[in-house]
mmCIF file of all heavy atoms in Angstrom:
data_model
loop_
_atom_site.group_PDB
_atom_site.id
_atom_site.type_symbol
_atom_site.label_atom_id
_atom_site.label_comp_id
_atom_site.label_asym_id
_atom_site.label_seq_id
_atom_site.Cartn_x
_atom_site.Cartn_y
_atom_site.Cartn_z
ATOM 1 N N THR A 1 -6.604 -8.512 11.627
ATOM 2 C CA THR A 1 -6.014 -8.909 10.347
ATOM 3 C C THR A 1 -5.529 -10.357 10.401
ATOM 4 O O THR A 1 -4.764 -10.727 11.300
ATOM 5 C CB THR A 1 -4.847 -7.980 9.968
ATOM 6 O OG1 THR A 1 -5.342 -6.643 9.886
ATOM 7 C CG2 THR A 1 -4.237 -8.374 8.632
ATOM 8 N N SER A 2 -5.961 -11.138 9.434
ATOM 9 C CA SER A 2 -5.522 -12.534 9.350
ATOM 10 C C SER A 2 -4.078 -12.590 8.862
ATOM 11 O O SER A 2 -3.596 -11.677 8.178
ATOM 12 C CB SER A 2 -6.420 -13.322 8.399
ATOM 13 O OG SER A 2 -6.203 -12.920 7.055
ATOM 14 N N GLN A 3 -3.404 -13.670 9.195
ATOM 15 C CA GLN A 3 -2.028 -13.866 8.735
ATOM 16 C C GLN A 3 -1.986 -13.917 7.208
ATOM 17 O O GLN A 3 -1.093 -13.348 6.581
ATOM 18 C CB GLN A 3 -1.441 -15.149 9.341
ATOM 19 C CG GLN A 3 0.019 -15.344 9.013
ATOM 20 C CD GLN A 3 0.919 -14.254 9.584
ATOM 21 O OE1 GLN A 3 0.635 -13.659 10.625
ATOM 22 N NE2 GLN A 3 2.009 -13.963 8.891
ATOM 23 N N ALA A 4 -2.977 -14.572 6.602
ATOM 24 C CA ALA A 4 -3.021 -14.674 5.140
ATOM 25 C C ALA A 4 -3.142 -13.293 4.496
ATOM 26 O O ALA A 4 -2.452 -12.995 3.510
ATOM 27 C CB ALA A 4 -4.175 -15.577 4.705
ATOM 28 N N ASP A 5 -4.010 -12.431 5.043
ATOM 29 C CA ASP A 5 -4.155 -11.078 4.483
ATOM 30 C C ASP A 5 -2.894 -10.256 4.716
ATOM 31 O O ASP A 5 -2.484 -9.489 3.839
ATOM 32 C CB ASP A 5 -5.370 -10.367 5.079
ATOM 33 C CG ASP A 5 -6.675 -10.803 4.448
ATOM 34 O OD1 ASP A 5 -6.660 -11.438 3.368
ATOM 35 O OD2 ASP A 5 -7.735 -10.503 5.028
ATOM 36 N N ALA A 6 -2.284 -10.401 5.869
ATOM 37 C CA ALA A 6 -1.045 -9.662 6.151
ATOM 38 C C ALA A 6 0.022 -10.047 5.129
ATOM 39 O O ALA A 6 0.695 -9.171 4.561
ATOM 40 C CB ALA A 6 -0.564 -9.936 7.565
ATOM 41 N N GLU A 7 0.179 -11.329 4.855
ATOM 42 C CA GLU A 7 1.181 -11.769 3.887
ATOM 43 C C GLU A 7 0.813 -11.337 2.479
ATOM 44 O O GLU A 7 1.674 -10.905 1.712
ATOM 45 C CB GLU A 7 1.351 -13.283 3.970
ATOM 46 C CG GLU A 7 2.037 -13.716 5.248
ATOM 47 C CD GLU A 7 2.122 -15.222 5.409
ATOM 48 O OE1 GLU A 7 1.756 -15.968 4.480
ATOM 49 O OE2 GLU A 7 2.571 -15.654 6.489
ATOM 50 N N ARG A 8 -0.463 -11.427 2.123
ATOM 51 C CA ARG A 8 -0.906 -11.074 0.769
ATOM 52 C C ARG A 8 -0.700 -9.590 0.461
ATOM 53 O O ARG A 8 -0.221 -9.224 -0.608
ATOM 54 C CB ARG A 8 -2.383 -11.426 0.609
ATOM 55 C CG ARG A 8 -2.950 -11.033 -0.722
ATOM 56 C CD ARG A 8 -4.409 -11.415 -0.840
ATOM 57 N NE ARG A 8 -4.957 -10.924 -2.099
ATOM 58 C CZ ARG A 8 -6.225 -10.759 -2.328
ATOM 59 N NH1 ARG A 8 -7.119 -11.074 -1.416
ATOM 60 N NH2 ARG A 8 -6.635 -10.292 -3.492
ATOM 61 N N PHE A 9 -1.046 -8.736 1.406
ATOM 62 C CA PHE A 9 -1.034 -7.293 1.142
ATOM 63 C C PHE A 9 0.197 -6.566 1.683
ATOM 64 O O PHE A 9 0.534 -5.490 1.203
ATOM 65 C CB PHE A 9 -2.290 -6.640 1.725
ATOM 66 C CG PHE A 9 -3.557 -7.072 1.054
ATOM 67 C CD1 PHE A 9 -4.347 -8.060 1.608
ATOM 68 C CD2 PHE A 9 -3.948 -6.502 -0.151
ATOM 69 C CE1 PHE A 9 -5.525 -8.466 0.983
ATOM 70 C CE2 PHE A 9 -5.114 -6.897 -0.788
ATOM 71 C CZ PHE A 9 -5.900 -7.886 -0.219
ATOM 72 N N LEU A 10 0.832 -7.123 2.712
ATOM 73 C CA LEU A 10 1.930 -6.417 3.376
ATOM 74 C C LEU A 10 3.266 -7.139 3.248
ATOM 75 O O LEU A 10 4.292 -6.588 3.638
ATOM 76 C CB LEU A 10 1.593 -6.201 4.858
ATOM 77 C CG LEU A 10 0.285 -5.438 5.113
ATOM 78 C CD1 LEU A 10 -0.082 -5.474 6.586
ATOM 79 C CD2 LEU A 10 0.402 -4.009 4.615
ATOM 80 N N GLY A 11 3.256 -8.364 2.736
ATOM 81 C CA GLY A 11 4.484 -9.121 2.540
ATOM 82 C C GLY A 11 4.867 -9.930 3.762
ATOM 83 O O GLY A 11 4.153 -9.971 4.769
ATOM 84 N N HIS A 12 6.035 -10.576 3.664
ATOM 85 C CA HIS A 12 6.488 -11.474 4.731
ATOM 86 C C HIS A 12 7.415 -10.796 5.726
ATOM 87 O O HIS A 12 7.591 -11.271 6.826
ATOM 88 C CB HIS A 12 7.195 -12.695 4.124
ATOM 89 C CG HIS A 12 6.271 -13.538 3.300
ATOM 90 N ND1 HIS A 12 5.364 -14.406 3.847
ATOM 91 C CD2 HIS A 12 6.099 -13.619 1.953
ATOM 92 C CE1 HIS A 12 4.681 -14.993 2.893
ATOM 93 N NE2 HIS A 12 5.101 -14.538 1.718
ATOM 94 N N GLY A 13 8.010 -9.686 5.341
ATOM 95 C CA GLY A 13 8.943 -8.994 6.228
ATOM 96 C C GLY A 13 8.204 -8.069 7.173
ATOM 97 O O GLY A 13 6.981 -8.163 7.333
ATOM 98 N N PRO A 14 8.944 -7.155 7.791
ATOM 99 C CA PRO A 14 8.276 -6.193 8.675
ATOM 100 C C PRO A 14 7.323 -5.321 7.858
ATOM 101 O O PRO A 14 7.702 -4.763 6.829
ATOM 102 C CB PRO A 14 9.413 -5.377 9.269
ATOM 103 C CG PRO A 14 10.609 -5.673 8.439
ATOM 104 C CD PRO A 14 10.369 -6.961 7.708
ATOM 105 N N ALA A 15 6.095 -5.267 8.299
ATOM 106 C CA ALA A 15 5.066 -4.530 7.565
ATOM 107 C C ALA A 15 5.226 -3.030 7.771
ATOM 108 O O ALA A 15 5.619 -2.587 8.852
ATOM 109 C CB ALA A 15 3.680 -4.962 8.034
ATOM 110 N N PRO A 16 4.917 -2.247 6.730
ATOM 111 C CA PRO A 16 4.895 -0.795 6.922
ATOM 112 C C PRO A 16 3.770 -0.436 7.886
ATOM 113 O O PRO A 16 2.818 -1.208 8.051
ATOM 114 C CB PRO A 16 4.624 -0.254 5.521
ATOM 115 C CG PRO A 16 3.925 -1.369 4.814
ATOM 116 C CD PRO A 16 4.474 -2.639 5.397
ATOM 117 N N LEU A 17 3.876 0.723 8.518
ATOM 118 C CA LEU A 17 2.784 1.165 9.383
ATOM 119 C C LEU A 17 1.502 1.314 8.582
ATOM 120 O O LEU A 17 0.410 1.023 9.064
ATOM 121 C CB LEU A 17 3.137 2.492 10.049
ATOM 122 C CG LEU A 17 4.278 2.449 11.044
ATOM 123 C CD1 LEU A 17 4.575 3.849 11.562
ATOM 124 C CD2 LEU A 17 3.950 1.516 12.190
ATOM 125 N N ARG A 18 1.643 1.771 7.345
ATOM 126 C CA ARG A 18 0.491 2.049 6.494
ATOM 127 C C ARG A 18 0.925 1.945 5.048
ATOM 128 O O ARG A 18 2.072 2.255 4.713
ATOM 129 C CB ARG A 18 0.007 3.482 6.776
ATOM 130 C CG ARG A 18 -1.380 3.764 6.362
ATOM 131 C CD ARG A 18 -2.347 3.238 7.402
ATOM 132 N NE ARG A 18 -3.706 3.506 7.006
ATOM 133 C CZ ARG A 18 -4.711 2.770 7.410
ATOM 134 N NH1 ARG A 18 -4.525 1.753 8.202
ATOM 135 N NH2 ARG A 18 -5.927 3.056 7.030
ATOM 136 N N VAL A 19 0.027 1.513 4.196
ATOM 137 C CA VAL A 19 0.226 1.570 2.757
ATOM 138 C C VAL A 19 -0.713 2.648 2.238
ATOM 139 O O VAL A 19 -1.886 2.699 2.632
ATOM 140 C CB VAL A 19 -0.071 0.222 2.072
ATOM 141 C CG1 VAL A 19 -0.031 0.365 0.554
ATOM 142 C CG2 VAL A 19 0.910 -0.846 2.544
ATOM 143 N N VAL A 20 -0.209 3.514 1.385
ATOM 144 C CA VAL A 20 -1.015 4.536 0.726
ATOM 145 C C VAL A 20 -0.848 4.296 -0.774
ATOM 146 O O VAL A 20 0.257 4.405 -1.300
ATOM 147 C CB VAL A 20 -0.583 5.960 1.108
ATOM 148 C CG1 VAL A 20 -1.394 6.998 0.341
ATOM 149 C CG2 VAL A 20 -0.727 6.176 2.618
ATOM 150 N N ALA A 21 -1.947 3.918 -1.431
ATOM 151 C CA ALA A 21 -1.907 3.585 -2.857
ATOM 152 C C ALA A 21 -2.812 4.539 -3.631
ATOM 153 O O ALA A 21 -3.921 4.851 -3.192
ATOM 154 C CB ALA A 21 -2.362 2.146 -3.057
ATOM 155 N N PHE A 22 -2.310 4.995 -4.785
ATOM 156 C CA PHE A 22 -3.107 5.882 -5.634
ATOM 157 C C PHE A 22 -2.734 5.626 -7.087
ATOM 158 O O PHE A 22 -1.721 4.978 -7.388
ATOM 159 C CB PHE A 22 -2.910 7.359 -5.252
ATOM 160 C CG PHE A 22 -1.478 7.806 -5.233
ATOM 161 C CD1 PHE A 22 -0.848 8.238 -6.399
ATOM 162 C CD2 PHE A 22 -0.751 7.798 -4.051
ATOM 163 C CE1 PHE A 22 0.472 8.652 -6.386
ATOM 164 C CE2 PHE A 22 0.576 8.205 -4.033
ATOM 165 C CZ PHE A 22 1.186 8.639 -5.203
ATOM 166 N N GLU A 23 -3.549 6.141 -7.987
ATOM 167 C CA GLU A 23 -3.346 5.931 -9.412
ATOM 168 C C GLU A 23 -2.114 6.665 -9.931
ATOM 169 O O GLU A 23 -1.820 7.792 -9.497
ATOM 170 C CB GLU A 23 -4.558 6.426 -10.201
ATOM 171 C CG GLU A 23 -5.795 5.603 -9.984
ATOM 172 C CD GLU A 23 -7.006 6.190 -10.687
ATOM 173 O OE1 GLU A 23 -7.226 7.418 -10.603
ATOM 174 O OE2 GLU A 23 -7.723 5.405 -11.329
ATOM 175 N N ALA A 24 -1.455 6.068 -10.915
ATOM 176 C CA ALA A 24 -0.282 6.682 -11.541
ATOM 177 C C ALA A 24 -0.621 8.046 -12.131
ATOM 178 O O ALA A 24 0.231 8.945 -12.138
ATOM 179 C CB ALA A 24 0.277 5.752 -12.619
ATOM 180 N N ALA A 25 -1.846 8.226 -12.583
ATOM 181 C CA ALA A 25 -2.256 9.513 -13.163
ATOM 182 C C ALA A 25 -2.145 10.649 -12.150
ATOM 183 O O ALA A 25 -2.080 11.816 -12.540
ATOM 184 C CB ALA A 25 -3.689 9.415 -13.688
ATOM 185 N N TRP A 26 -2.095 10.340 -10.869
ATOM 186 C CA TRP A 26 -2.007 11.358 -9.813
ATOM 187 C C TRP A 26 -0.572 11.610 -9.349
ATOM 188 O O TRP A 26 -0.333 12.513 -8.552
ATOM 189 C CB TRP A 26 -2.862 10.940 -8.619
ATOM 190 C CG TRP A 26 -4.294 11.270 -8.825
ATOM 191 C CD1 TRP A 26 -5.241 10.511 -9.471
ATOM 192 C CD2 TRP A 26 -4.954 12.452 -8.415
ATOM 193 N NE1 TRP A 26 -6.437 11.164 -9.485
ATOM 194 C CE2 TRP A 26 -6.294 12.369 -8.837
ATOM 195 C CE3 TRP A 26 -4.541 13.594 -7.739
ATOM 196 C CZ2 TRP A 26 -7.220 13.368 -8.594
ATOM 197 C CZ3 TRP A 26 -5.470 14.591 -7.493
ATOM 198 C CH2 TRP A 26 -6.793 14.468 -7.923
ATOM 199 N N LEU A 27 0.371 10.837 -9.826
ATOM 200 C CA LEU A 27 1.725 10.928 -9.287
ATOM 201 C C LEU A 27 2.328 12.325 -9.431
ATOM 202 O O LEU A 27 2.885 12.863 -8.466
ATOM 203 C CB LEU A 27 2.636 9.884 -9.940
ATOM 204 C CG LEU A 27 4.064 9.827 -9.401
ATOM 205 C CD1 LEU A 27 4.098 9.592 -7.890
ATOM 206 C CD2 LEU A 27 4.845 8.740 -10.139
ATOM 207 N N SER A 28 2.213 12.941 -10.593
ATOM 208 C CA SER A 28 2.818 14.273 -10.742
ATOM 209 C C SER A 28 2.146 15.283 -9.821
ATOM 210 O O SER A 28 2.809 16.141 -9.237
ATOM 211 C CB SER A 28 2.779 14.743 -12.197
ATOM 212 O OG SER A 28 1.453 14.882 -12.630
ATOM 213 N N ARG A 29 0.848 15.186 -9.662
ATOM 214 C CA ARG A 29 0.147 16.111 -8.759
ATOM 215 C C ARG A 29 0.564 15.883 -7.306
ATOM 216 O O ARG A 29 0.728 16.837 -6.536
ATOM 217 C CB ARG A 29 -1.357 15.965 -8.934
ATOM 218 C CG ARG A 29 -2.073 17.118 -8.316
ATOM 219 C CD ARG A 29 -3.402 17.414 -8.948
ATOM 220 N NE ARG A 29 -4.130 18.212 -7.979
ATOM 221 C CZ ARG A 29 -5.397 18.118 -7.716
ATOM 222 N NH1 ARG A 29 -6.146 17.280 -8.381
ATOM 223 N NH2 ARG A 29 -5.947 18.857 -6.801
ATOM 224 N N VAL A 30 0.738 14.624 -6.914
ATOM 225 C CA VAL A 30 1.214 14.325 -5.556
ATOM 226 C C VAL A 30 2.601 14.934 -5.356
ATOM 227 O O VAL A 30 2.876 15.520 -4.318
ATOM 228 C CB VAL A 30 1.218 12.802 -5.291
ATOM 229 C CG1 VAL A 30 1.969 12.460 -4.009
ATOM 230 C CG2 VAL A 30 -0.211 12.265 -5.237
ATOM 231 N N ARG A 31 3.441 14.825 -6.367
ATOM 232 C CA ARG A 31 4.802 15.374 -6.268
ATOM 233 C C ARG A 31 4.819 16.898 -6.223
ATOM 234 O O ARG A 31 5.683 17.497 -5.596
ATOM 235 C CB ARG A 31 5.637 14.911 -7.453
ATOM 236 C CG ARG A 31 6.078 13.499 -7.373
ATOM 237 C CD ARG A 31 6.991 13.162 -8.542
ATOM 238 N NE ARG A 31 7.580 11.850 -8.352
ATOM 239 C CZ ARG A 31 7.784 10.992 -9.337
ATOM 240 N NH1 ARG A 31 7.478 11.308 -10.572
ATOM 241 N NH2 ARG A 31 8.321 9.828 -9.078
#
């Protein structure tokens, strides 16, 4: 992972172990 991609997608602070992204239409089903 490049530094630029890390900053773009994970931010400048401590990065999460993983990002899990899904559509808002699925939020109630996930819950």
Side-chain angles (χ1 to χ4, degrees):
T1 301
S2 70
Q3 185 63 30
D5 281 345
E7 290 175 6
R8 177 179 175 200
F9 294 98
L10 303 171
H12 296 282
L17 293 177
R18 200 80 180 154
V19 172
V20 177
F22 54 85
E23 292 175 315
W26 279 86
L27 183 56
S28 63
R29 195 153 161 219
V30 168
R31 285 184 171 142

